[in-house]
Amino acid sequence: MAESKPSTPSPPVVRSNKPVSEALLNDKWDHAISSLLIRSSLGLSFGVIFSVLLFKRRAWPAFVGLGFGAGRAWEEADGIYDPPHV
């Protein structure tokens, strides 16, 4: 005969005891930081490309692109934390 495994109850789901507002704030911070990293690196990469192609390998286009990317991420995060009042 085939052996049957005894059924064991599954362990309970572990839930954090954080308040809902703290979880929402953590999600907003995660979104803001990931947006900052993505947009800044995209701006930096466009700046490097333009620096190589158009500006004879100067450094300032890369820094300008980095600043534009960080500024766009800042504005997006500002909109997340303080939505416009209608």
Side-chain angles (χ1 to χ4, degrees), residues 58-82:
R58 307 255 187 217
W60 65 266
F63 291 120
V64 168
L66 180 69
F68 280 143
R72 288 282 298 141
W74 182 277
E75 285 299 317
E76 184 179 337
D78 189 38
I80 291 171
Y81 284 109
D82 188 26

Side-chain angles (χ1 to χ4, degrees), residues 16-64:
S16 65
N17 294 330
K18 293 181 183 178
V20 175
S21 61
E22 186 175 343
L24 288 174
L25 188 62
N26 286 342
D27 289 340
K28 288 180 181 181
W29 268 107
D30 289 343
H31 182 74
I33 291 172
S34 66
S35 177
L36 175 72
L37 290 174
I38 291 169
R39 292 183 189 275
S40 295
S41 59
L42 281 173
L44 180 67
S45 62
F46 277 115
V48 167
I49 290 170
F50 283 128
S51 173
V52 169
L53 294 178
L54 300 176
F55 297 108
K56 300 179 184 175
R57 297 181 188 231
R58 307 255 187 217
W60 65 266
F63 291 120
V64 168

